[in-house]
Amino acid sequence: MAKNYPGYVLIRDALISDAGSRRGVKGDILIKDGVIKEIGANLAAPEGANIVDASGLLVHAGLINAHTHGHGGLARGQGDKWTLELLLAAGPWITGGRSLQDKKLTTQIGAAEMVLKGCTAAYDLYYEFPAPSIDGMDAVAEAYAEIGMRAVLAPMVADHSFYEAIPGLRDALPDDLRQKVDTLRLGPGDRTIAAIGSILDRWTWSSQDIRPAVAPTIPIHCSDSFMCGCSRLARDHGVAMHSHVGESKVQAVVGMERYGKSLISHLDGLGLIDENFTAAHAVWLGDDDFRLMADRGASLAHNAGSNMRLGNGHFRLRRALDLGVNVGIGTDGANCSDNQNMYEAMRYASMVSKVQGPDPRGWAAVEEIYHAATVGSAQALGLSNAGLLAPGYKADIVFVDLGAINWIPHNWTVNQLVHVEDATSVRHVMIGGTFVVRDGRLLTLDMAKLAREAEAARDRLENLNAEWRDLFVRLEPVVSSFCPGLAARPYQINRYLCDEILV
Ligand SMILES: [Zn+2]
């Protein structure tokens, strides 16, 4: 599905969301070749323009998901009471054994949900075991391209397995389990880096605004030379880099013990942090880490739902914004936070900022949350001219039905987008001036076929991965006692006592 169809589109009589006005502004939006050309009252229709009647509809800029995982689509709803470390231990069971078709299918599930719920672009960190492949990443890119969504796709990689990354965990396992998890070792780092290099060299999707990036998954799962190799590759190809940094306290404690400094200080010492770098989660970062990220022009991806679901704690949004870091908002993958609803991600981000203390001066405002989920995320994705409804910006537009219950009454647009809207009022979604969702229906994918394929894949993968499920059942008690033991160690960083983050 090609984006940016040539020609004019004129959206008439919309209520245009504007953070500066309490209840939006009535007006028209003229689009030319997928880009907003003019916004105003009673705009003249150029000859041949496609006219869209938007009376009774609120329009807002497409939401942008700063952090998700396409491989999570087929794995939604699999776990409960899982920490991040248990999720990683469950990986071979819930995301293993995928065929090329499955890789496309799992991505289609996530992309379809995002678009139907008002999201028009996503940063997707996609995992293939044991190393990324050209065919695999093409399948993922094809899923986004056919649905008509913009994306940054980063092969998610490491050179140490989870059991090598957590000191003492492998040794804590009984012999037979240790032998089994040793089969999960990853290929040599240089081979993985060469595989990403081939993917970047042969990338054919950029004209559809589906661009590649590099994602060394978690610093403690990567040797320094591997992290630097990823960074070199990203810089040589002019693409972005994304990593989970300080997501769980286990990561922060192991990082401090291994590097003698915070994860962010360590990555900066390797020269990895710049304006093309995004750190996801950032729950266990101190003020100096935020300052450093701000100084380098880097971004943070805030995934409040996932942070709560996996028991990781609360990201300090107010503090990060006050210290000048760019923050985007993400859902994280469906394998750990289930749905791909950016409205819910905004609501959670707001709630989590407010639950951290009784002083409202420490909270984030709805305008800041909405800005993070649009402009902030766009910056993290390196998407120029996205995230705003303004001349020169991409015509990625969500049309919300003001007759829907979420808008009765309509008191304060941005507040209701963040705190009330749950995607049930989304009527149409336009990407690059082209409707991808119309009257609540996804135009670019056969949903009944998607459901049939997903059910069949579930049954097949459930059988195929039965031995990994059995392994997880045996690993679970060890991981779920060992890792919280590590996390119980006192951890102080940058004179900020991080235990205060957990309220
Ligand atoms: Zn993630």
Side-chain angles (χ1 to χ4, degrees), residues 16-22 24 367 370-371 412-414:
I16 302 166
S17 165
D18 176 343
S21 90
R22 198 159 172 97
E367 291 86 354
Y370 177 72
H371 183 268
W412 179 0
T413 305
V414 176

Side-chain angles (χ1 to χ4, degrees), residues 438-458:
R438 190 118 202 206
D439 291 318
R441 205 170 65 80
L442 185 56
L443 302 179
T444 49
L445 189 72
D446 180 342
M447 293 289 281
K449 181 163 171 276
L450 183 77
R452 280 196 306 275
E453 289 174 353
E455 295 290 304
R458 184 205 54 215

